[in-house]
Amino acid sequence: MKTRITEMFGIQHPILQGGMHFVGFAEMAAAVSNAGGLGIITGLTQRTPELLAKEIARCREMTDKPFGVNLTFLPSVTPPDYPGYVQAIIDGGVKIVETAGNNPAKWLPGLKEHGIRVIHKCTSVRHSLKAEQIGCDAVSVDGFECGGHPGEDDVPNWILLPRAAEELKIPFVASGGVANGKQLVAALALGAEGVNMGTRFIATKEAPVHENVKQALVAASELDTRLIMRPLRNTERVLNNAAVERLLVKEKEMGAAISFADIAEEVAGVYPRIMINGEMDAGGWSCGMVAGLIHDIPTCKELIDGIMAEADQIIRKRFPSFADA
Ligand SMILES: Cc1cc2nc3c(=O)[nH]c(=O)nc-3n(C[C@H](O)[C@H](O)[C@H](O)COP(=O)(O)O)c2cc1C
């Protein structure tokens, strides 16, 4: 399948693996890229630019296919060493960067100068248009159903994608809620030129996370995610668990008076405990409604081949049968 996205990134299939904290290690990115998609290393999971440089080198040992690095720009009192991370990406010869969070305008000239393509993740049409205006090459349009940070507008992909198609000139992928070939075809019909998946890739053989995490995704239904940190306007969609329920009680009781310090116990530094140790009640961790569509733990190749085969079957068999009727 050829789209502007496969052409731009030099990949076989229009399937991207979004950056994921404590999931997007070299093993994850390489497995997705080797399967013909675009694997992405999560920059900030590496504590320093030096460690990111090592992770990029490790990934290069595992694949000769293109892969990218995610840089998430978060509001922070003591920001990470972003110039250092950008330099590690440039020095590592990485040609694709997925940005997310704050406007990446400041970093674009430096990245562009080195021929790096930038896909910015946006949860609204206005941010997507801004990304186009400042010179991003593509956009990942992330609907309300997504795992992680869906923004504060609450527009699901069924509306958000065709709205993006009305406005954008640069190519975009559908992000959030995707797990199968039906959804890839639907995304293409709505104007996207590929898909970005997060949660679905965690339940794969190669995902370098504890088995408990994968089993939790298989066990979960589409009703099992919750939105936390709404009062802080930093909404995150997470899998429900004991810590999340505790946090939601606090949010209800404290109302607008709540601050990050009040919920730090349930969200700060919990990713290594969950992803590495498999402590499933340690705190809130990003998870999409797509958990309801996850029933197995395939290899990345089995997953991607399955999605492409299902999409092919729909396009070649199901659609023509309607057209001929
Ligand atoms: C466990 C987890 C961690 C994530 N961490 C990040 C991150 O650090 N930076 C980022 O830009 N997006 C992050 N995301 C969002 C994904 O890149 C992707 O946009 C999202 O998962 C798409 O929705 P889906 O999970 O429904 O496929 C994360 C998602 C998950 C599930």
Side-chain angles (χ1 to χ4, degrees):
M1 192 181 278
K2 233 188 218 181
T3 71
R4 283 194 287 167
I5 288 291
T6 61
E7 297 289 285
M8 181 180 290
F9 297 143
I11 51 177
Q12 192 185 352
H13 305 302
I15 301 176
L16 281 49
Q17 165 251 315
M20 287 181 281
H21 200 36
F22 276 88
V23 181
F25 293 98
E27 287 79 4
M28 182 83 261
V32 174
S33 289
N34 282 332
L38 183 73
I40 293 183
I41 292 173
T42 313
L44 295 188
T45 298
Q46 303 301 321
R47 273 178 294 107
T48 63
E50 292 71 31
L51 288 172
L52 176 59
K54 283 190 187 151
E55 200 65 9
I56 292 169
R58 257 180 9 95
C59 195
R60 217 171 272 304
E61 277 171 25
M62 290 183 247
T63 185
D64 54 8
K65 301 269 170 57
F67 62 87
V69 172
N70 168 284
L71 273 183
T72 303
F73 300 109
L74 302 164
S76 159
V77 191
T78 44
D81 178 7
Y82 286 118
Y85 284 103
V86 168
Q87 198 56 48
I89 289 167
I90 293 168
D91 293 346
V94 173
K95 292 296 177 203
I96 302 159
V97 167
E98 177 196 46
T99 52
N102 291 347
N103 183 327
K106 186 176 163 190
W107 310 101
L108 288 182
L111 295 169
K112 293 256 159 175
E113 197 182 306
H114 292 86
I116 296 169
R117 300 287 200 169
V118 176
I119 179 163
H120 188 55
K121 193 154 46 194
C122 303
T123 57
S124 69
V125 174
R126 69 185 182 285
H127 290 152
S128 303
L129 276 172
K130 188 79 198 170
E132 179 174 276
Q133 243 171 45
I134 62 172
C136 291
D137 299 285
V139 182
S140 203
V141 176
D142 217 15
F144 184 50
E145 53 273 74
C146 73
H149 294 271
E152 310 302 327
D153 290 350
D154 304 358
V155 182
N157 270 336
W158 198 242
I159 302 297
L160 192 58
L161 297 172
R163 275 290 296 126
E166 284 181 355
E167 305 266 354
L168 287 177
K169 290 185 194 68
I170 55 173
F172 64 95
V173 297
S175 179
V178 182
N180 60 43
K182 293 179 191 68
Q183 294 169 297
L184 169 58
V185 176
L188 296 172
L190 296 176
E193 306 209 20
V195 294
N196 178 59
M197 306 196 303
T199 306
R200 174 65 269 204
F201 275 121
I202 304 176
T204 58
K205 291 225 165 59
E206 298 96 333
V209 302
H210 196 284
E211 188 62 23
N212 290 354
V213 180
K214 302 180 190 186
Q215 294 301 340
L217 289 175
V218 172
S221 87
E222 64 276 22
L223 303 177
D224 291 330
T225 71
R226 296 291 181 271
L227 295 170
I228 61 170
M229 296 192 281
R230 287 237 100 160
L232 300 172
R233 292 190 64 77
N234 184 30
T235 301
E236 182 180 0
R237 186 180 295 285
V238 297
L239 190 67
N240 195 20
N241 61 28
V244 168
E245 283 183 357
R246 219 164 46 230
L247 189 160
L248 289 173
V249 169
K250 280 189 207 173
E251 285 187 354
K252 201 165 179 192
E253 283 174 359
M254 298 184 73
I258 202 160
S259 72
F260 185 79
D262 299 311
I263 57 163
E265 195 188 331
E266 283 83 22
V267 290
V270 297
Y271 272 80
R273 289 178 58 197
I274 290 153
M275 297 298 176
I276 298 172
N277 305 347
E279 294 172 46
M280 296 316 295
D281 284 322
W285 60 282
S286 294
C287 174
M289 287 180 161
V290 70
L293 292 171
I294 297 176
H295 312 299
D296 58 359
I297 304 171
T299 64
C300 287
K301 183 164 168 38
E302 286 164 350
L303 175 63
I304 290 179
D305 284 352
I307 292 173
M308 295 313 298
E310 190 185 15
D312 194 65
Q313 151 83 18
I314 294 167
I315 294 167
R316 286 184 206 275
K317 304 253 164 65
R318 190 155 191 255
F319 285 175
S321 79
F322 299 150
D324 294 343

